[in-house]
Amino acid sequence: MSVIHQSLSTSISSSSSTFLGHNNLKSIKSSNVSIPGRINVVIECVATPSAEITAYKTKVSRNENMGKLQAGYLFPEIARRRTAHMLKYPDAQVISLGIGDTTEPIPEVITSSMAKRSYALSTVEGYSGYGAEQGEKQLRASIAKTYYENLGIEEDDVFVSDGAKSDISRLQVLFGSKVTMAVQDPSYPAYVDSSVILGQTGQFQKDVEKYGNIEYMKCTPENGFFPDLSATRRTDIIFFCSPNNPTGYAASREQLTRLVEFAKENGSIIVYDSAYAMYVSDDSPRSIFEIPGAKEVSMEVSSFSKYAGFTGVRLGWTAIPKELLYSDGFPVAKDFNRIVCTCFNGASNIAQAGGLACVSPEGIKAMHEVVGFYKENTDIIVEAFNSLGFKVYGGKNAPYVWIYFPGQSSWDVFSEILEKTHVVTTPGGGFGPGGEGFIRVSAFGHRENILEACRRFKQLYK
Ligand SMILES: Cc1ncc(COP(=O)(O)O)c(C=O)c1O
């Protein structure tokens, strides 16, 4: 059989570890789960913590910002529901097109470099311990050359990291609790959640499904998935992801030029997330630094996760130009350097060896093949939903397809698809109120699973 048949134990231990310790799995229970802004949904709850609740309490008060967060982080919540579904249907062949994790093997040109570095660590000559917090010089230089040649980004502007998500949180630590921030709505949840944790926001407002003090820049088919900047309040920080997760839309050069002008007029800093830049297949910019003047108002976070299958290896980077200054003229990069030295001890040396192989000519070719494979998957998914008469967005410049279900709750659609096809998707509402009525289908999957999922979608919606 060509479809995935994951064993339950694998699925529990690999994807739900934040929630399910091995000893914690007690019983299957039915419980009422409240999704922000949605009616309560009854789901099969998979576990309850096994530790007996003790009467003893410390004298430490809970960080009140943690209390503001709504439910769990989106993707562990999806994983929990998948696990619950697998417990309910132990024989089902569940296909996960939900959390956007890569599935294809890492090209050997890359793993062989990591293996070599790994073995060298067992030798006196090859051993190395802590490296530079900012990353290895050669890797920083190669990233600058590969992704920013002729854009004025140099080796020492690049900070190598253990992935874009960690850098997003480190950047929030850099900015502190007093800044205001804007996000695309819908957007990758880490921007909003890390902002809440840092204390930049007010409480969650249930009526509008938004946190106070965050500017939600609505991105819908009506505005071509680019925010109406004339109606956007000034904020200190603007998180902007292109190609966008979840809508799959890549902003054009003209739109990004307007964004940079907007930031300049307002004295704002754009944090540009280019984690999917290699998926761009038209002439949309791959980097914000392609836009004239962007270096004075922008920084860029990026990652090897979706290019080389490094979601488990963990390697990314943040590029901060020397031209980016605070209001007092102090360089932002200098402060970020301080944060990196305090909060981070550098990316794994084995991962960095892999990163160097990624940006070698053979590695770049291999990454394009991986990206090309997922792009073919995307075409298959787009074709399936188009043939069913849905309004389908994204897909062209990103491994995500954004499908419109007018008038329906995205969590209801998610549940119906899971229940009737055993395919895990992601409800658009999980990415912000602007995602309501949409479902995100990820193109990360083995080809036979993508084909099988599409066959099931066609069966469900024919
Ligand atoms: C827009 C965006 N940024 C960042 C990340 C996280 O990347 P990393 O694996 O490098 O932490 C993701 C992962 O899905 C993403 O979609």
Side-chain angles (χ1 to χ4, degrees):
M1 196 74 190
S2 57
V3 292
I4 291 178
H5 191 173
Q6 282 169 293
S7 82
L8 197 54
S9 59
T10 307
S11 131
I12 289 171
S13 61
S14 66
S15 57
S16 304
S17 54
T18 50
F19 185 66
L20 299 175
H22 286 291
N23 302 326
N24 286 351
L25 192 62
K26 267 193 162 175
S27 59
I28 302 174
K29 280 191 159 189
S30 188
S31 78
N32 246 331
V33 172
S34 178
I35 305 300
R38 300 282 118 231
I39 48 164
N40 284 2
V41 183
V42 177
I43 66 158
E44 296 290 294
C45 184
V46 291
T48 51
S50 70
E52 295 306 318
I53 295 177
T54 63
Y56 178 78
K57 297 189 183 85
T58 69
K59 292 179 180 159
V60 180
S61 342
R62 185 179 182 205
N63 176 348
E64 61 181 7
N65 296 320
M66 295 304 296
K68 291 180 195 164
L69 289 167
Q70 295 301 295
Y73 187 71
L74 175 63
F75 298 114
E77 176 64 30
I78 304 287
R80 275 201 288 281
R81 285 164 180 251
R82 185 186 68 178
T83 305
H85 184 80
M86 291 170 88
L87 284 164
K88 186 174 169 193
Y89 298 104
D91 296 327
Q93 291 166 332
V94 173
I95 299 175
S96 287
L97 303 181
I99 67 171
D101 194 4
T102 46
T103 55
E104 300 311 293
I106 298 171
E108 234 180 275
V109 57
I110 298 166
T111 49
S112 59
S113 277
M114 290 194 281
K116 213 166 136 200
R117 177 73 73 92
S118 174
Y119 283 123
L121 292 174
S122 285
T123 66
V124 173
E125 314 76 52
Y127 177 76
S128 64
Y130 290 129
E133 291 88 345
Q134 304 81 359
E136 293 171 9
K137 194 174 161 54
Q138 200 188 344
L139 179 57
R140 298 175 81 189
S142 302
I143 289 173
K145 184 167 177 346
T146 304
Y147 294 104
Y148 307 110
E149 192 162 35
N150 302 325
L151 298 179
I153 296 294
E154 294 161 345
E155 172 204 314
D156 56 346
D157 303 328
V158 174
F159 296 84
V160 176
S161 74
D162 54 347
K165 200 189 204 182
S166 327
D167 264 356
I168 289 162
S169 286
R170 281 192 282 265
L171 287 169
Q172 295 285 26
V173 173
L174 172 79
F175 298 134
S177 59
K178 298 218 163 55
V179 295
T180 50
M181 78 116 143
V183 289
Q184 289 152 295
D185 178 24
S187 67
Y188 178 56
Y191 316 133
V192 166
D193 283 11
S194 59
S195 176
V196 174
I197 290 169
L198 256 285
Q200 298 165 358
T201 76
Q203 296 291 343
F204 188 74
Q205 298 157 4
K206 287 209 163 51
D207 51 339
V208 286
E209 296 179 37
K210 294 176 179 176
Y211 289 95
N213 211 30
I214 289 187
E215 182 69 3
Y216 289 77
M217 305 185 295
K218 202 158 187 181
C219 296
T220 59
E222 289 71 43
N223 60 18
F225 296 103
F226 187 79
D228 175 2
L229 296 175
S230 68
T232 301
R233 183 171 59 95
R234 184 221 171 256
T235 57
D236 296 315
I237 311 299
I238 303 168
F239 275 94
F240 199 93
C241 176
S242 181
N244 184 267
N245 175 11
T247 65
Y249 180 81
S252 69
R253 198 166 300 275
E254 185 269 323
Q255 288 171 330
L256 290 180
T257 302
R258 275 195 274 141
L259 182 69
V260 166
E261 279 165 8
F262 177 73
K264 207 160 256 182
E265 279 159 22
N266 288 314
S268 308
I269 293 177
I270 300 167
V271 178
Y272 191 80
D273 187 336
S274 65
Y276 299 97
M278 275 185 84
Y279 288 79
V280 171
S281 46
D282 60 18
D283 62 358
S284 306
R286 271 93 171 145
S287 163
I288 190 69
F289 302 125
E290 291 181 36
I291 308 300
K295 288 207 289 297
E296 289 166 5
V297 289
S298 328
M299 61 173 73
E300 184 161 310
V301 291
S302 204
S303 170
F304 289 106
S305 281
K306 310 296 163 84
Y307 301 171
F310 266 29
T311 48
V313 172
R314 312 299 309 141
L315 198 71
W317 69 91
T318 291
I320 308 186
K322 296 174 188 66
E323 291 88 335
L324 186 64
L325 307 175
Y326 286 117
S327 56
D328 64 358
F330 197 82
V332 174
K334 275 200 169 180
D335 269 357
F336 189 60
N337 187 54
R338 186 72 176 77
I339 293 285
V340 164
C341 291
T342 303
C343 307
F344 184 51
N345 254 339
S348 144
N349 44 20
I350 298 169
Q352 291 193 72
L356 253 185
C358 284
V359 290
S360 69
E362 307 77 42
I364 291 170
K365 183 166 171 279
M367 288 196 296
H368 275 299
E369 278 163 18
V370 173
V371 167
F373 175 85
Y374 291 130
K375 283 177 78 68
E376 283 170 15
N377 281 352
T378 315
D379 292 344
I380 294 168
I381 297 166
V382 167
E383 192 281 321
F385 280 97
N386 270 334
S387 74
L388 292 165
F390 283 91
K391 283 202 166 131
V392 182
Y393 302 96
K396 185 170 164 205
N397 290 318
Y400 298 120
V401 184
W402 190 238
I403 301 141
Y404 189 35
F405 290 81
Q408 293 190 59
S409 142
S410 58
W411 281 98
D412 288 351
V413 177
F414 164 86
S415 300
E416 187 189 26
I417 293 176
L418 182 59
E419 187 67 27
K420 297 192 175 153
T421 69
H422 306 302
V423 178
V424 182
T425 57
T426 310
F431 299 97
E436 252 321 322
F438 290 86
I439 282 288
R440 188 194 78 173
V441 179
S442 151
F444 294 119
H446 301 314
R447 179 63 45 82
E448 61 270 27
N449 290 334
I450 298 290
L451 291 168
E452 172 63 16
C454 288
R455 196 192 60 72
R456 294 182 197 174
F457 293 145
K458 286 182 178 168
Q459 191 73 24
L460 176 63
Y461 291 116
K462 66 179 180 235

